[in-house]
Amino acid sequence: MNSILKITEAYHFAAAKHVGQRRKGVAEEPYVNHLTEVAELAARATAGADIEVIVAAVLHDTVEDTQTTFEEIADRFGDRVAGLVAEVTDDKTLPKAERKRLQIEHAAHASQGAKIIKLADKTSNLRAMAVSPPKGWPPERRAEYLDWSLRVVVGCRGSNAWLEGQFDEAAAALQPPKTARD
Ligand code: ZN
């Protein structure tokens, strides 16, 4: 399939699946804004060379957060895209703490494409935390989220220097300012 067709189809598919969903932040951005950001980061990181990684980035939250199945993604976008989405999808039958622990554990064994999507996703989430923090999250909860994101990303390091730089910048923006004595 022509790559422009594939990418526009993925956007249309994801927008329809996430219709009505909003981000957790105080600005309540439409959910699709997160998908466009993650896909753009993945596209820049790969210089647009790996269409399937970009398509999977657009679709990365469809199975976790909507009624989409992996079969549906495989039918429309192919097995590699479905596999990439599977690599970045949490098993929602598990308790939250276990899902978070598994993300840290799985990151190091993920494929190169999945590591890029994961890095882009965490970068987008940290950027959102700086400009539109989730409603009702006290500073400790935000600090905990940052700490966990940093631990997941340890396993993704070495996959894409530019994207790691974007993540590090987003993380640094959330660190408390250092005092002169530090
Ligand atoms: Zn996401």
Side-chain angles (χ1 to χ4, degrees):
M1 197 197 280
N2 166 306
S3 47
I4 299 288
L5 292 182
K6 212 167 185 177
I7 288 172
T8 52
E9 184 182 351
Y11 273 121
H12 184 55
F13 179 88
K17 291 288 188 178
H18 289 278
V19 69
Q21 291 180 359
R22 300 243 158 206
R23 295 284 279 160
K24 276 196 220 90
V26 286
E28 296 184 356
E29 301 90 338
Y31 203 85
V32 74
N33 286 32
H34 168 63
L35 308 176
T36 58
E37 185 177 20
V38 172
E40 198 215 351
L41 285 166
R44 282 184 187 274
T46 55
D50 195 334
I51 302 305
E52 288 172 328
V53 168
I54 302 167
V55 167
V58 173
L59 303 174
H60 79 277
D61 280 329
T62 50
V63 175
E64 197 166 302
D65 295 334
T66 79
Q67 296 300 317
T68 310
T69 63
F70 292 121
E71 292 70 30
E72 209 177 341
I73 293 180
D75 282 350
R76 292 183 72 143
F77 302 102
D79 288 339
R80 178 162 174 247
V81 170
L84 286 164
V85 174
E87 284 192 88
V88 298
T89 297
D90 282 356
D91 179 353
K92 278 202 157 170
T93 62
L94 298 172
K96 197 167 181 193
E98 178 65 358
R99 297 204 308 257
K100 294 200 122 190
R101 192 188 67 76
L102 285 173
Q103 277 207 33
I104 298 169
E105 201 178 293
H106 289 164
H109 311 290
S111 66
Q112 167 86 359
K115 283 181 184 182
I116 285 172
I117 297 168
K118 216 167 239 300
L119 269 165
D121 189 32
K122 296 291 180 265
T123 302
S124 168
N125 288 340
L126 292 190
R127 285 178 178 174
M129 183 108 75
V131 296
S132 173
K135 276 169 277 182
W137 279 32
E140 311 78 65
R141 187 158 175 203
R142 286 187 236 165
E144 220 175 86
Y145 185 86
L146 170 61
D147 180 62
W148 170 73
S149 302
L150 286 161
R151 290 166 69 195
V152 174
V153 161
V154 168
C156 302
R157 297 229 181 241
S159 56
N160 190 278
W162 176 81
L163 193 47
E164 287 160 48
Q166 296 298 305
F167 173 84
D168 289 337
E169 254 175 51
L174 289 167
Q175 307 276 13
K178 297 243 184 276
T179 65
R181 278 184 301 159
D182 282 343

